[in-house]
Structures are given as structure tokens and as C-alpha cells.
Amino acid sequence: MNSRILALLATSIATIIYGVTFTVAKDVMPVYLKPFGFIVLRVGGAAILFWSIGFFIKKQAIEKKDFKRIVIASFFGIALNMLTFFKGLSYTTPISASVMMLTAPILVLVFASLILKERLFLKKVLGVVIGLVGAVILILYGNAGGEGAKSMMLGNLLVFINAASYGLFLVIVRDIIQKYNPIIFVKWLYLFGFFMVLPFGWNEIIIAKWSSMTFSIYSKIGFVIVFSTCVTYLFNLFALSKLKPTTVSVFIYLQPVVATIYALMVGSDSLNTVKIIATILIFTGVYLVTIQGKETTDK
């Protein structure tokens, strides 16, 4: 099996893990473990694993001037990103959350144009508008008339903030990530992130219903820490070393498909007209934003 096929297989597995994570994490929250407590476990566990892997990586010193950027990146890529995602997921549904995450590529384009002064073309601007309209519809009407609609609205809004935070993170680290070994970079990223999320989740760790958790619940917590965080990162890292970034990024669009199929299979979510319309609008927006044309030289 050649390296390209292995890379495609790796990013496919990562996509499946991401898609399943929406429902797996939802099974744990908020009954057994509150969202912020779950984040402390996730970030702390990932930090331990990445620092352990780091012992087998050739040492590389981080320049002092880059620590400030890593701290900022950790805030947007770990703390704000994960706290808003898990809190939002505890209020909304797996399908809505996975669809909302599709706004990330659109928001990356917006931040890149504002911060990096990248040129915007009409087609991409149209894609941003259409995609964001879909996001607004999902936030406001994703569970219109249903039980807990207000909580659903808040949940979708928090997941949107999570997508915006992640999009900003990608723009911030675009240059610095190329200076260091990815494992060296990410172990510091998660270490700083752990200290940022600890104040928010420590009390929730203490009051967690540990004694009432079944083996299945503990397994799902472990799945999120090991597979949803560490394995997906390493698999995507391997894929990026063999494939073009644009090829790897396409797989993010499969996450809602996987999340929807799994959520419907286990009966944790359902489809409605608003979700379908919002999904179509967001997919259309992402397509217009990411498609390459004659007017752009994107690689």
C-alpha cells in the first residue's frame, strides 16, 4: 500500500472519529460530567500524552518571542475553542453542532482577509454571505417550536463561536507551525491550554458523578481524550505530510454526514426541514469559498 493511500486512509479515519465524537461526547454530558469538567480531562489527558510522545522527539527549543504567540494560539485553539464547543454541544444536538462546524473554512477566509490582508474575490464573498446566512438560520430556528428551543439557540451560538475561534487559531498559527516539529509545538499548546481551562472546570470535576458512571461512560471519556484529540491530530499530521492541505481539508465536509448517520443510527438526534435548508446553505457557502478558480492562485 503506497503512502498516498495510507494518508487518505488516515484522514478518512480521523474524519469518522470526529463525526462520531459529536454523539459520544453528548452521551457523557451533562448527566455524568459537566462540559467544562470534560474539557479539563480532555486537555489534561492530551497534554500528558503529547508530552510523553515528546520524550521520543528530538529536542527543539522554542524561541522566547514565539511563546507569546503560542499562548494566544492556545487561548483560541484550545481554551475558548473547546470550552464553547462542549458547552454548546451540551445544549444543542450532534447534527446541528456538526453542521455549524462547517462554518470554520468560511471564517478562516474572513480572518485571513482581515489579519493577513489576503485578497477577497466576489465568488468567495458570496460564499461567506450564503454560509453565514445558513449558520444564522440554524442558530435561530434549528429547533424552532421544539422543547428546549432557547437552549438549542444558545448551544448553536456557542458552537458558532467555537468555529470562529478555531478559524482564528488556524490563521494565527499558519506561520509559526512551520518553524517547529508539530509534536513540540502542540505539547506546549496543550500545556498552556490546560492551565487556561482548569479554573473553569475544576469544580465540575469535583462534583462529577464518578460513582454512577458505567464502564461505557468511562470508555466514551477515554475515546474523546485518546482518539478524538490525540489520534486525530497525529493522523491528520501524517496525512498533511503526504497530501496537499486542500485535499485534507475537503474531509471536514464529511463530518456532518458521519455525525448525522451515527446520530440517527443510535437515535440521539433527528432531521427537520430547517436543519436540511441550513446545511444546504452552509455547504454552498463552503463550496464557493474553497473552490479554486482562474482568479486565485491558492494551492
Side-chain angles (χ1 to χ4, degrees):
M1 187 178 295
N2 62 43
S3 59
R4 178 177 174 80
I5 293 177
L6 283 174
L8 289 171
L9 181 61
T11 193
S12 296
I13 293 174
T15 299
I16 293 172
I17 292 173
Y18 280 135
V20 171
T21 299
F22 290 97
T23 297
V24 171
K26 183 73 175 178
D27 289 342
V28 178
M29 303 180 300
V31 176
Y32 298 98
L33 188 59
K34 300 295 182 181
F36 290 170
F38 202 163
I39 289 300
V40 170
L41 289 182
R42 180 181 183 182
V43 177
I48 292 172
L49 287 174
F50 281 127
W51 274 86
S52 300
I53 296 173
F55 286 118
F56 300 96
I57 304 296
K58 184 179 178 180
K59 290 186 178 180
Q60 184 181 22
I62 302 290
E63 295 181 23
K64 290 184 178 179
K65 64 178 182 179
D66 288 333
F67 272 113
K68 181 179 179 181
R69 292 184 64 186
I70 294 176
V71 170
I72 295 173
S74 185
F75 172 76
F76 288 106
I78 302 295
L80 183 61
N81 173 35
M82 291 191 180
L83 289 173
T84 52
F85 174 68
F86 268 40
K87 191 68 171 180
L89 185 59
S90 70
Y91 290 139
T92 188
T93 66
I95 293 177
S96 293
S98 64
V99 170
M100 191 62 68
M101 280 299 297
L102 278 179
T103 60
I106 296 173
L107 294 167
V108 167
L109 178 70
V110 173
F111 291 132
S113 66
L114 294 175
I115 299 173
L116 304 178
K117 307 302 180 183
E118 291 187 359
R119 185 181 175 187
L120 279 177
F121 297 97
L122 179 60
K123 178 177 60 180
K124 294 183 181 294
V125 172
L126 182 62
V128 168
V129 173
I130 293 175
L132 292 182
V133 167
V136 171
I137 290 175
L138 192 60
I139 290 172
L140 297 179
Y141 306 108
N143 197 37
E147 184 177 353
K150 291 183 179 179
S151 295
M152 174 78 84
M153 184 186 301
L154 176 60
N156 288 335
L157 178 60
L158 288 172
V159 176
F160 178 77
I161 293 173
N162 151 72
S165 177
Y166 183 69
L168 185 56
F169 163 76
L170 291 179
V171 173
I172 292 173
V173 302
R174 195 178 71 167
D175 296 329
I176 194 173
I177 191 66
Q178 298 177 16
K179 293 178 61 176
Y180 304 104
N181 181 295
I183 297 296
I184 299 297
F185 172 78
V186 81
K187 75 176 188 178
W188 284 105
L189 192 75
Y190 271 86
L191 180 63
F192 290 135
F194 174 71
F195 288 110
M196 291 179 188
V197 301
L198 186 60
F200 294 92
W202 177 248
N203 287 336
E204 294 187 0
I205 291 289
I206 296 176
I207 65 173
K209 299 179 180 179
W210 300 106
S211 60
S212 63
M213 291 185 189
T214 62
F215 175 78
S216 174
I217 296 300
Y218 277 111
S219 298
K220 289 174 180 177
I221 293 174
F223 177 89
V224 171
I225 295 173
V226 177
F227 290 95
S228 304
T229 307
C230 298
V231 172
T232 53
Y233 178 84
L234 294 176
F235 275 28
N236 278 328
L237 181 65
F238 171 73
L240 284 169
S241 70
K242 305 297 180 183
L243 304 170
K244 292 180 179 180
T246 50
T247 302
V248 177
S249 67
V250 167
F251 282 80
I252 193 176
Y253 311 143
L254 296 177
Q255 289 183 31
V257 177
V258 176
T260 298
I261 293 174
Y262 185 74
L264 293 176
M265 284 176 58
V266 299
S268 66
D269 202 352
S270 61
L271 283 174
N272 59 36
T273 304
V274 172
K275 288 180 184 177
I276 294 173
I277 293 174
T279 301
I280 292 173
L281 288 172
I282 293 175
F283 262 106
T284 302
V286 170
Y287 173 77
L288 291 173
V289 164
T290 58
I291 189 173
Q292 297 181 10
K294 296 180 179 180
E295 76 276 14
T296 180
T297 57
D298 292 345
K299 294 181 179 180

